Amino acid sequence: MTMPIALKGATIHPVIEQQGGFFKVKDFFPTLSKELLDESRSWMEPTFFDRDGGVMLCIQSFVIKTSHHNILIDSCVGNHKERATRPFWNMLNSDRFEKGLAALGLTVNDIDYVMCTHLHGDHVGWNTRLENGRWVPTFPKARYVMADRELAHWMQREKENPASCPWITDSVLPVVAAKREQVVKSDFTFNEQVQLVPTPGHTIDHFSVLVGHKGNDAFITGDMIHSPLQGKYPELGMMADYDSAQAGQSRRKIFDRFCEEPTIMCASHFPAPSTGRVRRWNDGYKFVAVER
Ligand SMILES: [Zn+2]
């Protein structure tokens, strides 16, 4: 099991569902030039680009345990979900996620909050599970925290073109129907230890999650970054961005803020252990390993 991050009064535990080179580099980063790709191979391969030209991605949640709450950040792909355009996520039937929770001594009944950094299919899947042919909230006691403009955007899109976002139909709307959603602004202060930080661009109202206190904290990125390549080149967009220019601005703003801090970045899609401290690297940023 991956090591937890221990902060004063809180621990952060990764729960991994999958890891692999799901997308080809050129598809994933459509504007990446051949020159930049070739130049990056020396430090990106084989950890972050695999030998078949795939971008290595981890699909994971993070559980924040505090003395008051168990908070799940994002909920991976989920089981039995029809994802016609993503063969590696289509009709998944895996016990890895639930086993990961169990390894932390948790069941679905122990999660108090699910925070959705954004509403893409690889972040909301375990929001729901199939019960007698119906999608019901997986975490029966949890409130599901979502940003207001993010939820409105996707509900509207689902209404207009449900085939374009089946994960909204099966993994978000049933949570709303069950009245389990808690709609917030993307800069919502949850409590003195947990703060949402707006990081728009990848989606319209994406947020990241800052945990702990200054000098002893961790920052769960969600999808404000997908690969260390977007640290070195913050303006590099990825295929599913809502607004790549804005996503680049979000990366610069966040990395500027933390590049001289001890803050541990939990980069959700980086291959495990997915953690590092951000530091300047010429005109961009790199991630240095955290010794624990
Ligand atoms: Zn994602």
Side-chain angles (χ1 to χ4, degrees):
M1 198 174 68
T2 317
M3 286 282 286
I5 295 163
L7 304 171
K8 288 181 198 112
T11 51
I12 302 174
H13 308 255
V15 177
I16 295 176
E17 183 185 61
Q18 283 184 319
Q19 185 166 296
F22 304 113
F23 300 92
K24 296 294 173 206
V25 176
K26 276 302 290 174
D27 296 332
F28 200 73
F29 297 119
T31 61
L32 181 66
S33 68
K34 188 177 180 314
E35 291 70 35
L36 218 56
L37 172 59
D38 288 341
E39 187 187 298
S40 306
R41 288 187 194 283
S42 63
W43 64 277
M44 287 290 289
E45 289 178 347
T47 309
F48 303 112
F49 290 160
D50 71 16
R51 297 194 191 285
D52 302 319
V55 182
M56 281 300 287
L57 296 176
C58 190
I59 310 296
Q60 66 188 320
S61 303
F62 290 97
V63 173
I64 306 170
K65 284 186 174 185
T66 73
S67 49
H68 305 295
H69 302 113
N70 296 312
I71 304 166
L72 185 77
I73 309 297
D74 288 339
S75 67
C76 301
V77 172
N79 274 357
H80 314 301
K81 311 254 157 146
E82 221 179 297
R83 302 290 180 251
T85 61
R86 300 275 187 262
F88 37 83
W89 292 339
N90 189 39
M91 300 305 280
L92 214 62
N93 188 6
S94 159
D95 59 5
R96 195 170 171 192
F97 180 85
E98 282 164 305
K99 277 190 169 160
L101 275 186
L104 306 179
L106 300 175
T107 72
V108 293
N109 293 310
D110 298 315
I111 300 298
D112 303 298
Y113 289 89
V114 177
M115 295 186 174
C116 304
T117 62
H118 65 300
L119 302 182
H120 275 164
D122 56 323
H123 296 259
V124 298
W126 280 105
N127 279 6
T128 59
R129 64 184 175 84
L130 210 48
E131 186 184 79
N132 301 322
R134 285 179 58 235
W135 296 109
V136 299
T138 302
F139 308 98
K141 297 177 184 165
R143 300 222 67 95
Y144 289 70
V145 176
M146 307 182 214
D148 54 358
R149 289 189 304 127
E150 183 82 11
L151 182 60
H153 170 86
W154 286 105
M155 284 182 74
Q156 182 62 30
R157 173 146 159 204
E158 202 272 349
K159 205 193 256 176
E160 290 166 2
N161 185 2
S164 73
C165 51
W167 60 91
I168 300 298
T169 314
D170 60 42
S171 305
V172 175
L173 295 188
V175 168
V176 176
K179 299 189 165 41
R180 302 310 298 173
E181 84 279 27
Q182 180 175 346
V183 181
V184 300
K185 295 285 176 199
S186 57
D187 64 353
F188 176 61
T189 301
F190 177 76
N191 64 25
E192 59 170 22
Q193 280 179 303
V194 179
Q195 169 79 51
L196 308 191
V197 179
T199 43
H202 177 60
T203 61
I204 191 166
D205 203 12
H206 186 284
F207 64 75
S208 304
V209 183
L210 182 61
V211 187
H213 302 279
K214 193 169 163 62
N216 180 249
D217 56 3
F219 186 86
I220 301 172
T221 62
D223 280 10
M224 64 155 279
I225 184 166
H226 291 77
S227 162
L229 197 61
Q230 293 177 297
K232 178 135 202 239
Y233 307 109
E235 282 71 35
L236 181 65
M238 65 79 71
M239 59 189 239
D241 284 344
Y242 173 76
D243 182 339
S244 286
Q246 189 185 35
Q249 288 162 11
S250 287
R251 280 187 286 276
R252 283 215 181 267
K253 187 172 169 187
I254 293 300
F255 296 153
D256 256 351
R257 174 175 167 186
F258 291 112
C259 68
E260 287 170 17
E261 299 286 337
T263 307
I264 297 173
M265 311 298 281
C266 303
S268 304
H269 277 311
F270 287 18
S274 321
T275 49
R277 293 196 169 91
V278 65
R279 296 293 176 255
R280 273 189 210 287
W281 188 13
N282 301 323
D283 185 39
Y285 306 85
K286 64 184 170 186
F287 295 84
V288 301
V290 180
E291 306 85 38
R292 284 189 275 131

